[in-house]
Amino acid sequence: MTAIHDGETARSEQDVTEGKVYSVNGQDWDEVVSAVAESSEERLVINMGPQHPSTHGVLRLVLTLDGETVTEARTVIGYLHTGIEKNMEFRTWTQGVTFVTRMDYLSPIFNEAAYCMAVEKLLGITDRVPLRAQTIRVMMMELNRISSHLVAIATFGLELGATTPMLFGFRERELVLDLFEYITGLRMNMAYVRPGGVSVDLPAGAVDKIGEFLKIMPGRIKEMRKLLDENPAYTRRTKDVAYLDLTGCMALGITGPMLRAAGLPWDLRKSQPYSGYETYDFDVPTENSCDVYGRYLVRVAEMEESLKIIGQCLDRLSGSELKGKPVMIEDKKIGWPSQLALGPDGLGNSPDHIAHIMSSSMEALIHHFKLVTEGYRVPAGQAYVPVESPRGELGAHVVSDGGTRPYRVHFRDPSFTNLQAVPATCEGGMIADVIAAVASIDPVMGGVDR
Amino acid sequence: MSTENLPGVPEEPIARRGMFGAADSGDTSGYGGLVVRRPPKLSSAKPYGGYFDEVADALERVAGDAYAGMVERVVVDRGELTIHVARERLVEVMRHLRDDLALRFELSLGVSGVHYPEETGAELRAVYHLCSITHNRRIRVEASCPAADPHIPSTVSVYPTHDWHERETYDFFGIVFDGHPALTRIEMPDDWEGHPQRKDYPLGGIPVQYRGATIPAPDQRRSYA
């Protein structure tokens, strides 16, 4: 944590509009503390971030303190703004997937799914997306929910001073990322979900690997629970901290685990199902404590529910009904004509397809070329598609003017909205609880700033 | 693609320009000769179908005689209901939508902006997505303002969650939300000039603060012509 910074000097006495400025440059904490103690000033304004390890990236908090009590908490964002929404307007609809996947980088599959479902809604092909693709999407989303919640809990522990949950969390997350890499070729930012289906079918052996994961994971979650559920150091830091009740959640537009920890079983997978979620058997865990501990419990329970859903997906994918079925819409005007395959020089178009377009069909070559470079047109109009991401309602508002590129894409990212709860949950509390409060929101700045 | 989703015959086709030197078409690849058509201005007639009629009737009932002046048009498209509201009455409509027992849109999913430079007098749009948890429904509310007078009343008093969302829409589109508690930029730096998500704002071509370097706009970078 740094006191307001003015650049070079260790402790500047320069004139400011109000009060005195202390800079912290490392190894001078005692000096700063004694200088502050001498001062008669009651109010201390602390700048926390954007490069603070417990601000989940580049969040900046400006905290006004009276002693150890936070009297005012202001949140400053925008440090990771990369203009993704603007950039998408200059690329084709399919290329948009590679942009949205980089927004909330801990839950890329959800970004992709929300965007693709919005494009499908605009195209009017929602009902024609193959069932196998839908099932793979659900499975990938639930795997991603587990990996995202694991990071949330891992960083949570670390920020409260416990390194073991961090090590456990990241170790378990690695299992999920390995699965992602095996299925899509990439650990993150995989651009796997595409309008019309998914980019490539599950590779041989994927079902077995996920089956193994399902065997390992319940024990690992139990370990995490043993470590934290009843841990007095942990519960004292989290129980009754950062209280936000249902009224506050509604007013501030808070969704996701924070809302469910306030007692409302609002989960879009149940209330407004998509991708066939209504056919899966799972529960929506809730807590009534409205505090940081409740949000933790909801997240852990959600991971257990996700495992149930993944198990059901696996049964369906390996069952006779879906085995070997297409994963991309049959419409050749939308789905890319080739399947990805692993060649001697890496992942690329399948050799069969290359042979087809290079030696036997000029038309197929032209079609492939046009579809990939120019893309397809999407009828004019707008669509809003929400999905239940690990952090709450992730909505894609997509506008088309009838062209081959999006006219406007806006992501309603849950981290962005949920961060507005920082003043409501932190003001009047202790400064140490700010860390727990922000961690329980689980903001991902890539999604906040886009 | 089903044909009923395709846009109607436009009054006059417009071409997108400005990318990669492709001046005669809107196609960035330089091969398509595409003409991007203007989307038709939709307006749906009753009945809207599903719960949309109930929502529209309930709003008409609470608004009373004022309804005609409030709601400019109603669009039902792709299973979504959009209510276009006159900006002067926006706060009133939002309050009805939130508080009336038959409507009860408690949860707002924030504000999104869209810039339609061709629609003279309604170039800038603020788009609100509302969700009713009581009735499990969703609607979209749109308010427009001309680019010359970019003012829309703030709805933070009805939905406090709009605080940051309105700041974001102001930042990217320059829509001034009158009555917002602190309407400042949120994503771009405070001293940034212009509103980047507007259609007349280029992608690139902005001087960067790195040893005076500049990145040329894409249409000046290279050309396939």
Side-chain angles (χ1 to χ4, degrees):
Chain A
M1 224 170 283
T2 54
I4 277 185
H5 206 287
D6 73 309
E8 307 299 314
T9 48
R11 187 149 51 85
S12 153
E13 311 243 332
Q14 73 173 171
D15 289 335
V16 283
T17 42
E18 210 186 327
K20 198 169 166 187
V21 175
Y22 306 95
S23 316
V24 184
N25 290 331
Q27 303 192 344
D28 52 359
W29 191 245
D30 293 338
E31 285 172 51
V32 176
V33 170
S34 59
V36 173
E38 282 164 25
S39 156
S40 59
E41 192 75 53
E42 295 284 327
R43 194 178 64 119
L44 186 65
V45 183
I46 294 265
N47 176 49
M48 184 173 152
Q51 276 94 18
H52 189 273
S54 73
T55 54
H56 291 240
V58 283
L59 173 67
R60 181 176 159 212
L61 298 168
V62 181
L63 306 169
T64 306
L65 304 179
D66 181 3
E68 272 196 77
T69 309
V70 179
T71 56
E72 197 184 332
R74 273 183 288 171
T75 328
V76 186
I77 62 169
Y79 294 95
L80 206 57
H81 176 61
T82 45
I84 290 177
E85 289 175 358
K86 177 85 174 173
N87 268 294
M88 289 174 74
E89 293 166 14
F90 295 82
R91 293 286 179 267
T92 66
W93 290 95
T94 308
Q95 284 172 323
V97 178
T98 56
F99 281 98
V100 296
T101 191
R102 282 157 172 82
M103 286 182 171
D104 182 340
Y105 45 78
L106 290 185
S107 55
I109 296 282
F110 291 91
N111 304 338
E112 294 168 17
Y115 171 74
C116 290
M117 285 197 276
V119 177
E120 285 157 9
K121 199 171 187 181
L122 284 172
L123 284 165
I125 58 166
T126 307
D127 299 333
R128 285 159 54 205
V129 177
L131 195 56
R132 184 171 171 88
Q134 305 244 25
T135 313
I136 294 178
R137 282 182 187 181
V138 168
M139 186 189 72
M140 294 294 276
M141 280 196 271
E142 295 310 319
L143 282 170
N144 201 171
R145 189 183 311 279
I146 293 176
S147 76
S148 176
H149 279 344
L150 281 170
V151 176
I153 294 164
T155 51
F156 217 98
L158 185 69
E159 283 157 19
L160 297 181
T163 48
T164 323
M166 187 274 283
L167 294 170
F168 277 23
F170 277 93
R171 183 188 65 184
E172 267 69 283
R173 172 174 181 255
E174 207 63 14
L175 298 173
V176 182
L177 295 190
D178 286 346
L179 290 175
F180 282 161
E181 189 179 8
Y182 190 73
I183 295 168
T184 71
L186 291 165
R187 291 153 51 86
M188 298 173 83
N189 306 334
M190 39 304 245
Y192 180 65
V193 183
R194 301 278 172 87
V198 296
S199 70
V200 62
D201 200 357
L202 299 179
V207 170
D208 295 340
K209 275 181 188 280
I210 300 166
E212 272 169 47
F213 169 79
L214 287 182
K215 281 194 196 112
I216 299 170
M217 213 44 206
R220 297 287 175 89
I221 294 176
K222 219 168 270 167
E223 272 181 16
M224 191 68 103
R225 275 192 181 278
K226 268 189 199 163
L227 204 58
L228 293 175
D229 274 11
E230 302 294 330
N231 182 335
Y234 184 71
T235 51
R236 277 187 201 168
R237 292 287 313 267
T238 54
K239 275 192 179 164
D240 301 326
V241 167
Y243 183 89
L244 190 68
D245 62 6
L246 187 54
T247 317
C249 285
M250 279 294 117
L252 292 169
I254 310 292
T255 45
M258 282 186 85
L259 180 59
R260 290 191 283 277
L264 187 71
W266 181 254
D267 187 320
L268 296 175
R269 295 176 294 171
K270 279 277 188 221
S271 56
Q272 300 174 352
Y274 48 89
S275 299
Y277 265 113
E278 65 275 17
T279 60
Y280 295 89
D281 174 37
F282 66 100
D283 294 326
V284 177
T286 53
E287 290 292 327
N288 287 315
S289 56
C290 309
D291 62 359
V292 175
Y293 185 65
R295 290 163 206 153
Y296 156 77
L297 287 181
V298 166
R299 288 200 174 93
V300 182
E302 276 183 15
M303 292 201 290
E304 290 161 348
E305 295 301 318
S306 291
L307 288 176
K308 278 186 5 200
I309 300 175
I310 297 167
Q312 295 168 50
C313 290
L314 273 194
D315 292 343
R316 294 180 193 190
L317 287 170
S318 50
S320 57
E321 212 172 297
L322 291 182
K323 202 168 187 180
K325 290 288 186 305
V327 295
M328 186 47 106
I329 188 166
E330 296 288 357
D331 192 338
K332 289 296 172 209
K333 293 277 182 200
I334 295 167
W336 282 10
S338 72
Q339 281 287 315
L340 285 175
L342 192 65
D345 54 347
L347 202 64
N349 290 328
S350 63
D352 294 347
H353 179 72
I354 299 289
H356 178 60
I357 63 175
M358 295 312 282
S359 58
S360 63
S361 175
M362 169 74 87
E363 290 75 19
L365 174 67
I366 295 172
H367 173 70
H368 186 149
F369 183 76
K370 289 273 285 182
L371 195 56
V372 174
T373 57
E374 184 184 306
Y376 44 80
R377 290 208 207 169
V378 172
Q382 57 182 334
Y384 178 83
V385 172
V387 299
E388 186 70 33
S389 96
R391 275 159 277 282
E393 172 164 342
L394 176 74
H397 175 222
V398 177
V399 186
S400 171
D401 65 345
T404 57
R405 285 169 282 153
Y407 189 72
R408 161 89 170 126
V409 180
H410 173 72
F411 263 63
R412 186 268 180 201
D413 193 277
S415 303
F416 179 85
T417 310
N418 293 0
L419 261 185
Q420 291 189 90
V422 167
T425 52
C426 294
E427 285 177 2
M430 305 293 272
I431 184 170
D433 293 340
V434 171
I435 311 290
V438 173
S440 76
I441 293 172
D442 184 26
V444 175
M445 298 313 287
V448 174
D449 290 338
R450 282 157 285 133
Chain B
M1 270 182 255
S2 65
T3 43
E4 66 255 30
N5 272 334
L6 291 170
V9 180
E11 297 117 48
E12 42 179 316
I14 51 136
R16 278 213 220 157
R17 293 166 198 286
M19 284 296 293
F20 301 126
D24 55 340
S25 77
D27 178 22
T28 52
S29 70
Y31 294 94
L34 281 180
V35 177
V36 177
R37 293 173 196 286
R38 175 184 298 176
K41 199 166 186 177
L42 290 168
S43 185
S44 309
K46 278 191 176 179
Y48 306 130
Y51 62 79
F52 299 159
D53 288 300
E54 286 170 43
V55 171
D57 292 345
L59 186 61
E60 206 167 341
R61 180 178 47 73
V62 266
D65 298 337
Y67 182 79
M70 268 180 194
V71 177
E72 290 171 340
R73 61 197 167 101
V74 176
V75 179
V76 178
D77 185 28
R78 295 178 174 87
E80 293 181 9
L81 175 72
T82 311
I83 301 176
H84 291 260
V85 177
R87 56 175 168 164
E88 306 79 39
R89 317 298 295 274
L90 179 67
V91 180
E92 208 181 320
V93 171
M94 288 295 211
R95 186 155 280 133
H96 287 320
L97 287 173
R98 187 193 66 179
D99 293 342
D100 187 71
L101 283 174
L103 296 166
R104 275 267 186 259
F105 288 91
E106 307 96 341
L107 182 65
S108 170
L109 288 319
V111 188
S112 165
V114 191
H115 185 205
Y116 298 100
E118 286 82 29
E119 294 197 11
T120 317
E123 288 95 342
L124 296 167
R125 298 269 183 85
V127 185
Y128 306 83
H129 292 98
L130 305 180
C131 176
S132 165
I133 287 177
T134 311
H135 302 294
N136 201 11
R137 292 169 175 171
R138 277 179 195 276
I139 59 163
R140 177 190 293 126
V141 174
E142 275 195 46
S144 65
C145 63
D149 174 33
H151 290 270
I152 288 178
S154 168
T155 44
V156 173
S157 56
V158 185
Y159 293 109
T161 179
H162 285 179
D163 183 351
W164 282 18
H165 289 273
E166 287 184 356
R167 281 176 65 193
E168 186 184 334
T169 310
Y170 160 72
D171 194 355
F172 289 152
F173 291 91
I175 300 175
V176 178
F177 291 93
D178 296 316
H180 187 282
L183 195 69
T184 54
R185 287 188 184 272
I186 188 164
E187 298 289 359
M188 306 302 287
D190 289 345
D191 56 353
W192 195 263
E193 281 171 23
H195 300 284
Q197 288 272 14
R198 288 205 188 179
K199 288 290 172 187
D200 49 10
Y201 192 98
L203 181 74
I206 308 298
V208 293
Q209 293 175 342
Y210 183 73
R211 298 183 182 180
T214 47
I215 297 174
D219 55 350
Q220 283 145 27
R221 251 181 257 171
R222 54 181 168 170
S223 169
Y224 296 135

